[in-house]
């Protein structure tokens, strides 16, 4: 029997907010699905559309870019940059046929452990409904 | 490594150290030397040990060296073959744009994705799914999405359709076309190139297409030189040449601009198409065409190739070229999407560069009689 589809999610989290949020989710023993791998970056503005598509090449099913809330980026405007770049990545994802919904941008503060867990859960639900990355691969 | 084969295939053993290539190379100037002569000599003397990967990735494959080589050494082709070997050992060039364009090429090469690559088409453009003239769109929609206003290459494709429509041709477009593979071929990712080649060949061969028209010189060169299994009765044309042969059917309105033409490496030195773009520009009444000192086969590369190694040398080459263009003309015209992108990028924030860069076909379509 074919195993049910378990989405593979890659989350790029900024060091100062989203990653701390993820950490808090962990230390608070909040349950969130284990399908997510977190890559810590100093700021969400560090993420380039190229990183996102490199991940899609390996077969990742969904990508989360998570940074500080607007106005709270530790590098002042990194998250504004992230917003533009995620827009670019979504546009490319649409044309190439991967679909823009496989990319998500969220603002999560260091105190929002619960929100982090909820975002992940919701994203996994959405990707599960969408099905696997058509590229295949074993990420 | 298959070094002997690469040497033989590209005539490298025939080098007699005259040094003309180094003089022609645009990477060589007062403070920086890139010497194909020395590279070739070192490899001939020391074999594999003599290969410097960094140098192999630095070459722009612009073909200036080979154009002047009296002994028919095909240095860019040699570089391409060696890159193929380097990639097998895990050595790659420095990707620009965090490698997104290369990722897209690899993703398309998988063949599983259903692209939405023709969303930019609008009702004013006449196309026909049964036409036997195919307009190859290439990566235009991706350039627009990734490079924003520096891209605008679908503008070129739209202009190409308008120009074809004006001479009574409604081209066919393929919705499942993939990247031609040029950049994968020239960055040594041979397997990816072969997959792209196979997908395009299968999809085109099973259609009734008789002619393929290209706006991009790289797509044209790649199909012409590197696609082995395309149906034999298919003719390949770069749009400049195709329109150049039908110049009397085109009607342009007055345009008082003074322009200069930038020959791209693939259209010029690789395919020898120098005059058709100029003839087309001169067919626009009132338009004045002036030449930069280095033109036609002496033209200078736009400084970056295959979305790789964009560095201060690239910027230097771009700014120098733009400075020259701006002193003699109102506008630089080119028929290569990458020249366009690279010069536009170099112009950003350089207010002293009082010029404009435009695609040949956009310029011509704007000059069409309504
Ligand atoms: S121009 Fe040709 S023969 Fe002369 S040094 Fe260069 S490769 Fe050798
Ligand atoms: S191909 Fe161009 S960049 Fe490369 S060595 Fe020849 S002249 Fe120089
Ligand atoms: S530091 Fe968190 S988004 Fe910039």
């Amino acid at each position: 029997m074919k195993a049910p589809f378990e989405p593979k999610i890659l989350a790029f989290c900024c060091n100062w907010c989203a990653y701390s949020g993820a950490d808090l989710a962990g230390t608070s023993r909040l349950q969130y699905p284990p399908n997510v791998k977190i890559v810590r970056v100093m700021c969400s503005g560090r993420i380039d559309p190229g990183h996102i598509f490199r991940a899609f090449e390996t077969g990742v099913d969904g990508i989360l870019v998570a940074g500080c809330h607007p106005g709270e980026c530790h590098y002042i405007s990194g998250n504004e940059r992230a917003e533009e770049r995620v827009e670019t990545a979504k546009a490319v994802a649409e044309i190439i046929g991967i679909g823009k919904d496989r990319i998500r941008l969220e603002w999560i503060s260091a105190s929002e452990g619960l929100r982090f867990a909820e975002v992940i859960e919701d994203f996994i639900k959405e990707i599960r409904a969408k099905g696997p990355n058509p590229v295949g691969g074993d990420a | 490594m298959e070094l002997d084969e690469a040497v033989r295939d590209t005539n490298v053993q025939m080098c007699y150290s005259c040094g003309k290539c180094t003089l022609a190379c645009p990477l060589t100037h007062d403070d920086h030397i890139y010497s194909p002569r020395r590279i070739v000599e070192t490899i001939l003397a020391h074999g594999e040990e003599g290969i410097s990967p960094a140098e192999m990735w630095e070459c722009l494959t612009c073909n200036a060296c080979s154009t002047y080589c009296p002994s028919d050494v095909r240095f860019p082709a040699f570089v391409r073959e060696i890159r193929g070997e380097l990639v097998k050992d895990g050595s790659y060039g420095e990707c620009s744009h965090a490698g997104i364009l290369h990722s897209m090429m690899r993703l398309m090469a998988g063949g599983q994705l259903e692209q939405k690559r023709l969303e930019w088409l609008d009702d004013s453009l006449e196309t026909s799914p049964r036409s036997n003239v195919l307009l190859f769109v290439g990566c235009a929609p991706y350039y627009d999405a990734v490079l924003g206003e520096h891209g605008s290459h679908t503008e070129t494709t739209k202009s190409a359709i308008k120009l074809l429509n004006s001479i009574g041709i409604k081209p066919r477009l393929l919705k499942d076309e993939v990247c031609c593979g040029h950049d994968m071929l020239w960055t040594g990712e041979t397997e990816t190139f072969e997959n792209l080649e196979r997908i395009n060949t299968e999809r085109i061969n099973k259609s009734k297409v008789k002619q393929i028209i290209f706006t991009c010189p790289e797509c044209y060169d790649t199909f012409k030189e590197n696609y082995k299994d395309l149906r034999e009765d298919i003719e390949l044309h770069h749009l400049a040449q195709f329109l150049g042969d039908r110049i009397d059917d085109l009607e342009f309105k007055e345009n008082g601009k003074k322009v200069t033409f930038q020959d791209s490496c693939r259209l010029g030195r690789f395919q020898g198409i120098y005059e058709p773009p100029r003839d087309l520009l001169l067919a626009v009444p009132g338009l004045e065409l002036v030449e930069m000192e280095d033109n036609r086969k002496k033209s200078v590369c736009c400084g970056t190739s295959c979305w790789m190694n964009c560095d201060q040398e690239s910027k230097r080459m771009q700014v120098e070229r733009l400075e020259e263009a701006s002193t003699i003309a109102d506008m630089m015209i080119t028929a290569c999407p990458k020249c366009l992108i690279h010069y536009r990028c170099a112009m950003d924030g350089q207010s002293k560069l009082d010029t404009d860069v435009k695609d040949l076909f956009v310029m011509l379509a704007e000059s069409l009689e309504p």
Side-chain angles (χ1 to χ4, degrees):
Chain A
M1 208 183 80
K2 228 172 114 210
F5 166 55
E6 272 309 327
K8 289 162 289 202
I9 307 290
L10 188 70
F12 291 108
C13 294
C14 88
N15 181 54
W16 304 102
C17 291
Y19 191 81
S20 307
D23 221 20
L24 184 63
T27 47
S28 326
R29 299 167 151 256
L30 290 169
Q31 290 288 336
Y32 65 89
N35 320 32
V36 52
K37 284 185 187 145
I38 299 180
V39 176
R40 180 168 60 134
V41 288
M42 288 311 281
C43 173
S44 62
R46 169 70 183 93
I47 294 307
D48 189 286
H51 303 139
I52 294 178
F53 284 89
R54 189 79 188 99
F56 280 135
E57 269 189 70
T58 68
V60 162
D61 302 302
I63 291 169
L64 173 71
V65 177
C68 314
H69 285 272
E72 287 172 14
C73 167
H74 286 232
Y75 305 94
I76 302 163
S77 57
N79 47 6
E80 290 167 23
R81 191 164 286 227
E83 205 162 3
E84 282 167 27
R85 291 181 172 175
V86 165
E87 276 315 306
T88 301
K90 285 186 171 194
V92 176
E94 271 304 280
I95 302 172
I96 207 161
I98 283 180
K100 61 178 186 315
D101 304 341
R102 290 188 190 276
I103 307 171
R104 215 191 237 209
L105 177 70
E106 293 282 354
W107 310 133
I108 301 170
S109 79
S111 60
E112 292 177 317
L114 182 62
R115 210 174 104 70
F116 179 84
E118 284 167 358
V119 163
I120 294 291
E121 207 148 324
D122 186 63
F123 193 28
I124 287 178
K125 208 166 94 202
E126 195 184 322
I127 299 291
R128 185 169 284 133
K130 235 178 123 57
N133 176 350
V135 171
D138 43 18
Chain B
M1 181 187 284
E2 307 297 336
L3 182 58
D4 292 347
E5 209 178 302
V7 165
R8 240 180 299 115
D9 284 356
T10 58
N11 228 12
V12 159
Q13 81 280 9
M14 297 302 283
C15 169
Y16 53 53
S17 302
C18 70
K20 282 197 186 339
C21 49
T22 306
L23 283 173
C25 178
L27 290 171
T28 288
H29 58 100
D30 296 348
D31 326 305
H32 180 86
I33 295 204
Y34 186 80
S35 171
R37 177 194 57 75
R38 187 182 37 71
I39 293 170
V40 161
E41 281 174 1
T42 313
I43 294 177
L44 288 176
H46 303 284
E48 265 181 58
E49 304 275 284
I51 297 174
S52 145
E55 283 185 332
M56 284 294 134
W57 291 113
E58 191 182 349
C59 171
L60 300 162
T61 73
C62 73
N63 214 27
C65 49
S66 294
T67 303
Y68 289 95
C69 176
S71 197
D72 198 27
V73 171
R74 293 184 297 119
F75 187 75
F78 178 67
V79 166
R80 189 180 74 201
E81 293 205 19
I82 299 297
R83 285 180 181 173
E85 298 297 322
L86 291 173
V87 162
K88 288 184 200 158
D89 295 338
S91 156
Y92 291 86
E94 219 31 81
C95 278
S96 314
H97 306 281
I100 184 171
L101 293 134
H102 292 207
S103 281
M104 284 163 7
M105 295 165 197
R106 291 189 209 103
L107 286 165
M108 281 187 251
Q112 312 98 324
L113 294 170
E114 253 178 68
Q115 302 173 73
K116 292 187 197 148
R117 49 162 41 247
L118 300 179
E119 305 286 296
W120 48 270
L121 267 176
D122 64 50
D123 294 343
S124 70
L125 306 165
E126 294 185 279
T127 59
S128 157
R130 280 171 304 280
S131 171
N132 47 30
V133 181
L134 173 73
L135 179 68
F136 192 81
V137 173
C139 290
Y142 293 100
Y143 292 169
D144 284 9
V146 174
L147 300 151
E149 61 200 38
H150 295 154
S152 65
H153 193 57
T154 51
E155 214 40 58
T156 301
T157 322
K158 286 182 195 165
S159 302
I161 300 174
K162 277 186 204 145
L163 288 159
L164 288 169
N165 288 169
S166 83
I167 55 169
I169 297 175
K170 294 180 194 166
R172 172 200 299 224
L173 308 184
L174 279 185
K175 64 179 191 319
D176 56 359
E177 173 194 300
V178 291
C179 162
C180 72
H182 173 278
D183 294 349
M184 291 286 105
L185 179 69
W186 286 89
T187 50
E189 295 193 40
T190 319
E191 210 181 303
T192 310
F193 166 71
E194 285 166 355
N195 285 331
L196 293 165
E197 180 200 358
R198 180 180 45 75
I199 296 171
N200 277 329
T201 304
E202 278 170 14
R203 291 176 184 173
I204 292 169
N205 279 357
K206 74 164 196 272
S207 71
K208 296 212 163 49
V209 164
K210 291 266 161 44
Q211 288 178 313
I212 311 179
I213 296 179
F214 301 87
T215 55
C216 171
E218 298 191 337
C219 300
Y220 174 60
D221 183 71
T222 306
F223 266 71
K224 223 169 156 200
E225 307 301 328
N226 308 102
Y227 272 46
K228 301 173 295 292
D229 301 320
L230 216 54
R231 227 185 325 113
E232 268 169 22
D233 58 338
I234 298 180
E235 289 172 27
L236 307 173
H237 303 280
H238 186 267
L239 183 61
Q241 189 187 35
F242 189 83
L243 294 176
D245 290 343
R246 290 160 181 78
I247 228 160
D248 295 339
D249 302 338
L250 288 157
E251 268 178 66
F252 296 117
K253 56 180 184 230
E254 190 81 18
N255 183 332
K257 283 255 163 16
K258 195 171 170 188
V259 304
T260 187
F261 186 72
Q262 155 73 6
D263 297 91
S264 68
C265 308
R266 267 44 180 178
L267 195 60
R269 281 185 293 271
F270 279 72
Q271 291 297 334
I273 299 179
Y274 297 113
E275 300 315 318
R278 292 179 165 82
D279 295 343
L280 286 164
L281 287 170
L282 289 171
V284 177
L287 194 106
E288 193 185 342
L289 174 66
V290 286
E291 296 290 351
M292 288 181 275
E293 195 179 323
D294 292 327
N295 61 67
R296 298 182 170 80
K297 76 173 190 185
K298 282 167 69 192
S299 175
V300 188
C301 169
C302 68
T304 315
S305 83
C306 303
W307 308 112
M308 201 180 63
N309 292 5
C310 177
D311 58 14
Q312 74 266 32
E313 287 302 321
S314 320
K315 284 286 166 278
R316 174 191 60 80
M317 287 171 63
Q318 288 151 6
V319 169
E320 280 177 9
R321 196 74 174 150
L322 285 165
E323 276 170 355
E324 183 179 1
S326 69
T327 54
I328 59 167
D330 309 325
M331 193 185 282
M332 181 201 258
I333 305 286
T334 174
C336 173
K338 290 191 184 165
C339 288
L340 187 75
I341 290 164
H342 296 147
Y343 288 122
R344 282 198 176 152
C345 170
M347 277 171 64
D348 253 4
Q350 299 257 5
S351 51
K352 66 180 186 333
L353 292 175
D354 183 20
T355 189
D356 195 3
V357 190
K358 207 173 231 177
D359 179 84
L360 173 68
F361 305 118
V362 173
M363 159 67 133
L364 293 174
E366 283 173 359
S367 310
L368 277 177
E369 276 295 357

